[in-house]
Amino acid sequence: MSDELPPRSTARRWLTSTNHKDVGILYIVTSLYVFVFGGLMALLFRTQLWTAGELFLTGIQYNEVVSGHGLLMIFWFITPLAAGFANYFVPLQIGADDLAFPRLNALSYWLYFVSLLVYLSSFLIGTTLATGWTMYAPLNLPMYTPAIGGTVTVAALAILMLSSTIASVNFITTIHYCRAEGLSLLNVPLFTWTWLLTVWMMLFAFATLLAALLLLGSDRVLGTLFFVGEGPGGSLLWGHLFWFFGHPEVYIVFFPPLGLMFEMFQTFSGRRVVGRKWVILAMILIALQSFLVWMHHMFLTTINLEMKTLFMATSIGISLPFDLIVFSLIYTLVRGKIRFHTPFLFALGGLILLIPGGITGVFLGAVVLDYEFRGTYWVVAHFHYIMLGGGGTALIGGLYYWFPKMTGRMYDEFLGKLHFAVYFLGFNLAFGAQFVGWETPRRVFDYAPGLTEWHQVMTIGAFLLGGSFLLMFYNFAKSIRSGDQVEGSPWQYVRTAEWATASPPPLENWPGRPTYTSGSLEFVSRAAPDGGAAQSADKPAIESAREHPSHSSPWPVVAAVGTGLLFLGIALAQRSMLDAAVVGIAGFLVTTYGALQFGLEEFHAPESPVAARWPFDGVGKTKLGMWVFLASDVMVFGAIVGSYVFARANLGWNAWETVPPSAIPGLVNTFVLLTSSFAVVLALEYARRERQAGVVASLGATLVLGFVFLGIKGWEWSEEFAHGVYWDSSIEASTYFVTTGLHGIHVILGMFVAGFLLWRSWNGAYLDDPRPIEYFGLYWHFVDIVWVFLFPLFYLL
């Protein structure tokens, strides 16, 4: 680790930097590469659709390209592009020096990058996933998509979910804990507000998808029966899990562009957003309601009519707060003096395209109309008008809006406006025509001959849309080299703090410590704060102020590469156990080494000892981060246990055959884990009393009890195997082995941490600072509580 960053011209800078601005640029550049790659896929299958029937792509190839386009654009482009903006600008907007956990921020990016590489590798080792981006069961099972590439895709998505969870924990902690002094949560900029709501939704929605992917991975690699099921239940289970993620994902994608619309409308109209507090309330309501409408994607399934009617009501109800937001944007413009710069054109275009997208979505929320439109190009058109039209268009505007801030150079305004004109025309030709040709079935290359002309219009529009970005990339490349220099802000009316520092911002962001105590942004000396200010609960204020912040670490990229190899090895087990063992063991060793060095590294995160921390004053940022992470893990186990409940109800609650023949081993293990939690409490108390021997003994007892738990569980499993019961024997066995196995993995991970703490405490650590033991205790107690729920579910009921 080095406090000084290498020059930007070196690869080492980009491989090791933990600075939020560098990580933001990495996200933006990578996501734009994905955009080009996914766009070329779209042009490929649009060329196929010039005429009906097979042209140059076979059926499976067409499905691969369509699926790849959807997966790349949704998972690896649009939200990561917004994450790049958030990485770069959220700390600047709230007056922070960096994110709360800079190394975790770098790790989240490298996991994202590695997940992309793992997914792209699926095209090289056989047929990749060809089920559409929704991966519906039973098409997602090996009996229909047997190629190893499908399993590698599942592994890549699981890695991406880990990346998103780490990023969500980091941003939630940062925004709640690291705001500049005097900056209340209600007064943070609207882009930061939309990103805060986005990462809260990501925390819970992506955890549910991670659980679904773990179950799908076990079906594909181990042969479990979650999505095969007895009768139609497995397919319905995937629908519930996927769409509980899938509908919040719409708002996860759209909220950051919405925040950008607010910022650009304010800047280019010279007016504050009309009804700002009501807008914030509306967005909070939408974020909450987004988890209550998922079944409107399942109206064509066997769900009863009463339940469909209820979800039709919630689906239409969620449009009401959106109406308030749209009217707020319109009235902001009506009351302002508009300046038609390129960023504003894209922001206005996003609003114009959002409106038909939203209206056509209300059609799909009605049960009767959904029966007609589902599975047609009506859904494709609506989806693109929301995701790319409303969301992607505003994000492109964000590229132009913040380009001078990130580069210190001004783009070419004429080329920017030309880009918008061609883009807007191409978009409406490509997707507006889909509303007219809506009777085309989705995900197939055959359609009625009478729709040929409309498909040719779509293809022409798609090429115009794609070609417009050649103008953007040329504009940016030329402007970085020779554009007019920008000192501060090129815009006349800016309202957010990122414009209060140089363009591009210096490494440490600010000339002094930002404060809003006077009601407006000011800078004061970074000297030790006065005693009346809020201080960090993680470390004394004066000590924190004196530390020189670190900006570089090589271990995030090492840990990410190891994780990628580990998950790839697990996926390869579907094809070859030898390949799986070689790649998986290499990944495990690299991950373990990287994690160990990560823990040993002396790294000082930039942190202001004075900040606005409501409602978490006195909690400590690391403890807050652990709480947020455990909230995500609650969702993972909740989805897994919910799958057990669903499968049991589908099979018949009383017909369910409990797998463990005796409850005694589970009861003993319950006492073992509860005792281990008590040992962790003792370790923390001994550390607070500075009694090294007690710390070592207590942590050692925790580790021993963990081995006892795993030993009993291993014996119990071996007894099942001896009687011919395996994870693929029945749905009862699948739920038992996978759920208790996932819990066992949590125990093993906790034991690795306990062993690390034991080694450090043997050498005298934690006596002057017992907080690492406390944070580990939060995780270990959570694992024990989960077992307290699993024991009656699988042993007693």
Side-chain angles (χ1 to χ4, degrees):
M1 185 273 296
S2 172
D3 291 341
E4 298 299 327
L5 277 172
R8 284 177 176 264
S9 58
T10 63
R12 184 166 173 261
R13 165 67 173 257
W14 300 105
L15 288 171
T16 64
S17 177
T18 62
N19 184 266
H20 71 98
K21 296 181 290 295
D22 289 345
V23 175
I25 290 172
L26 287 170
Y27 266 111
I28 291 170
V29 171
T30 307
S31 62
L32 288 176
Y33 164 77
V34 173
F35 178 66
V36 172
F37 194 80
L40 291 175
M41 283 185 164
L43 296 181
L44 187 64
F45 66 73
R46 278 300 343 157
T47 303
Q48 172 93 354
L49 292 168
W50 184 260
T51 58
E54 185 173 316
L55 188 59
F56 56 90
L57 294 174
T58 64
I60 189 66
Q61 289 172 339
Y62 180 84
N63 288 338
E64 284 184 274
V65 174
V66 170
S67 302
H69 168 75
L71 289 168
L72 285 170
M73 291 303 203
I74 292 169
F75 289 106
W76 280 283
F77 161 60
I78 195 161
T79 298
L81 177 57
F85 289 143
N87 267 277
Y88 202 106
F89 292 105
V90 164
L92 291 169
Q93 288 197 336
I94 66 174
D97 291 329
D98 207 317
L99 291 183
F101 310 110
R103 289 187 299 169
L104 289 183
N105 191 32
L107 177 62
S108 68
Y109 166 75
W110 287 112
L111 285 172
Y112 157 68
F113 182 76
V114 167
S115 72
L116 174 63
L117 295 182
V118 171
Y119 173 62
L120 294 179
S121 73
S122 69
F123 288 86
L124 306 176
I125 56 176
T127 305
T128 187
L129 196 70
T131 61
W133 78 277
T134 54
M135 300 174 282
Y136 281 138
L139 293 178
N140 55 16
L141 297 177
M143 66 182 71
Y144 296 106
T145 51
I148 184 64
T151 308
V152 171
T153 301
V154 173
L157 287 168
I159 299 170
L160 184 62
M161 295 306 102
L162 294 178
S163 165
S164 300
T165 298
I166 293 171
S168 298
V169 170
N170 209 348
F171 276 105
I172 290 169
T173 305
T174 300
I175 298 171
H176 282 296
Y177 199 82
C178 302
R179 302 187 308 277
E181 181 186 20
L183 181 60
S184 69
L185 191 60
L186 192 60
N187 289 322
V188 299
L190 285 171
F191 174 74
T192 296
W193 250 113
T194 56
W195 186 250
L196 176 62
L197 293 171
T198 296
V199 290
W200 272 114
M201 288 188 287
M202 285 169 59
L203 188 77
F204 299 120
F206 283 19
T208 305
L209 181 59
L210 176 59
L213 292 168
L214 293 176
L215 298 183
L216 177 58
S218 71
D219 273 11
R220 293 187 65 91
V221 175
L222 300 176
T224 53
L225 305 172
F226 287 99
F227 303 120
V228 177
E230 304 288 339
S235 299
L236 200 59
L237 173 60
W238 176 263
H240 282 297
L241 290 173
F242 183 85
W243 287 116
F244 191 81
F245 143 81
H247 200 83
E249 169 69 359
V250 174
Y251 306 105
I252 288 169
V253 166
F254 183 70
F255 265 30
L258 180 63
L260 271 166
M261 284 186 197
F262 285 127
E263 301 290 0
M264 290 185 281
F265 275 36
Q266 289 185 131
T267 296
F268 296 108
S269 70
R271 300 286 299 186
R272 194 170 186 264
V273 167
V274 173
R276 186 181 191 276
K277 292 181 180 179
W278 290 104
V279 164
I280 293 172
L281 178 60
M283 292 191 299
I284 294 172
L285 289 174
I286 292 168
L288 294 173
Q289 286 180 267
S290 69
F291 290 93
L292 303 176
V293 298
W294 80 93
M295 278 195 218
H296 77 227
H297 294 275
M298 304 170 66
F299 283 163
L300 269 64
T301 66
T302 56
I303 297 171
N304 63 59
L305 182 59
E306 292 77 12
M307 190 63 69
K308 292 177 181 178
T309 304
L310 172 63
F311 275 82
M312 179 175 68
T314 61
S315 301
I316 295 174
I318 203 172
S319 66
L320 299 179
F322 253 119
D323 295 340
L324 186 151
I325 290 171
V326 170
F327 282 118
S328 170
L329 289 166
I330 293 172
Y331 278 115
T332 300
L333 296 183
V334 168
R335 298 177 61 182
K337 185 178 181 180
I338 301 172
R339 293 154 184 82
F340 288 92
H341 294 287
T342 299
F344 174 75
L345 291 175
F346 276 97
L348 180 62
L351 176 61
I352 292 171
L353 296 175
L354 168 68
I355 293 173
I359 292 172
T360 54
V362 174
F363 284 53
L364 298 171
V367 175
V368 175
L369 292 176
D370 190 71
Y371 270 78
E372 184 70 20
F373 289 131
R374 182 68 59 186
T376 70
Y377 264 38
W378 182 278
V379 178
V380 179
H382 154 72
F383 187 81
H384 282 85
Y385 266 84
I386 291 290
M387 302 289 265
L388 179 58
T393 306
L395 287 177
I396 297 162
L399 285 171
Y400 284 100
Y401 181 62
W402 277 322
F403 180 83
K405 172 55 59 179
M406 292 187 287
T407 64
R409 301 277 184 172
M410 193 63 187
Y411 62 84
D412 186 301
E413 186 69 47
F414 171 76
L415 289 177
K417 290 179 177 177
L418 180 61
H419 172 207
F420 171 76
V422 179
Y423 169 89
F424 198 76
L425 174 63
F427 180 94
N428 284 287
L429 286 176
F431 302 110
Q434 291 181 351
F435 283 123
V436 182
W438 68 270
E439 292 176 296
T440 305
R442 297 174 67 184
R443 303 189 183 100
V444 296
F445 51 60
D446 208 359
Y447 53 84
L451 298 172
T452 300
E453 291 182 357
W454 288 112
H455 275 275
Q456 291 175 350
V457 170
M458 297 175 208
T459 300
I460 292 170
F463 274 88
L464 277 175
L465 178 64
S468 73
F469 286 96
L470 297 177
L471 294 168
M472 185 189 79
F473 288 120
Y474 170 74
N475 190 353
F476 287 165
K478 178 177 75 75
S479 300
I480 287 174
R481 293 193 306 271
S482 58
D484 294 338
Q485 289 190 341
V486 175
E487 294 294 332
S489 168
W491 318 123
Q492 186 174 359
Y493 297 106
V494 291
R495 295 175 175 270
T496 48
E498 73 267 25
W499 300 105
T501 187
S503 300
L507 183 64
E508 304 291 351
N509 287 350
W510 313 105
R513 178 169 63 82
T515 177
Y516 286 85
T517 52
S518 67
S520 59
L521 178 61
E522 296 177 338
F523 297 96
V524 299
S525 172
R526 290 183 180 269
D530 51 56
Q535 296 183 358
S536 168
D538 275 351
K539 61 186 70 177
I542 294 177
E543 176 189 346
S544 176
R546 289 176 179 171
E547 284 178 353
H548 183 67
S550 307
H551 296 285
S552 177
S553 173
W555 305 118
V557 66
V558 173
V561 169
T563 303
L565 290 173
L566 177 61
F567 276 73
L568 181 60
I570 294 172
L572 290 174
Q574 182 187 348
R575 182 179 69 181
S576 166
M577 290 305 299
L578 178 61
D579 293 345
V582 172
V583 177
I585 291 173
F588 173 78
L589 294 175
V590 173
T591 303
T592 303
Y593 179 72
L596 179 62
Q597 295 299 325
F598 196 103
L600 293 173
E601 184 179 44
E602 289 290 334
F603 188 93
H604 303 297
E607 179 181 356
S608 174
V610 180
R613 297 193 168 107
W614 183 88
F616 298 106
D617 294 322
V619 172
K621 72 174 184 181
T622 308
K623 184 186 289 188
L624 175 58
M626 180 59 76
W627 284 355
V628 175
F629 166 73
L630 293 179
S632 173
D633 218 11
V634 167
M635 289 299 298
V636 173
F637 275 105
I640 299 291
V641 172
S643 299
Y644 154 82
V645 173
F646 178 90
R648 184 164 182 173
N650 182 68
L651 185 62
W653 192 266
N654 294 325
W656 191 266
E657 296 182 4
T658 303
V659 172
S662 171
I664 299 301
L667 180 63
V668 173
N669 260 346
T670 302
F671 285 111
V672 168
L673 281 186
L674 292 176
T675 306
S676 71
S677 271
F678 179 67
V680 176
V681 173
L682 285 178
L684 178 60
E685 186 59 29
Y686 280 127
R688 287 171 175 167
R689 298 184 181 187
E690 299 185 5
R691 295 172 60 178
Q692 181 183 3
V695 175
V696 171
S698 300
L699 288 174
T702 303
L703 200 58
V704 169
L705 289 168
F707 278 113
V708 171
F709 175 88
L710 293 176
I712 294 173
K713 179 55 62 182
W715 173 82
E716 189 178 28
W717 279 26
S718 67
E719 286 294 301
E720 299 296 336
F721 298 157
H723 290 85
V725 178
Y726 295 90
W727 44 77
D728 58 351
S729 300
S730 64
I731 186 61
E732 296 97 327
S734 294
T735 57
Y736 165 72
F737 281 111
V738 170
T739 308
T740 59
L742 179 63
H743 177 266
I745 291 173
H746 278 70
V747 172
I748 292 170
L749 292 174
M751 290 172 62
F752 272 107
V753 177
F756 177 79
L757 296 176
L758 177 61
W759 172 56
R760 293 292 305 276
S761 64
W762 184 273
N763 294 302
Y766 312 126
L767 300 182
D768 58 342
D769 183 7
R771 288 191 310 272
I773 297 175
E774 180 184 5
Y775 306 146
F776 165 70
L778 293 174
Y779 172 84
W780 193 255
H781 301 328
F782 167 78
V783 172
D784 295 352
I785 291 170
V786 169
W787 180 257
V788 170
F789 281 94
L790 297 186
F791 170 61
L793 280 175
F794 287 98
Y795 291 85
L796 301 180
L797 296 182

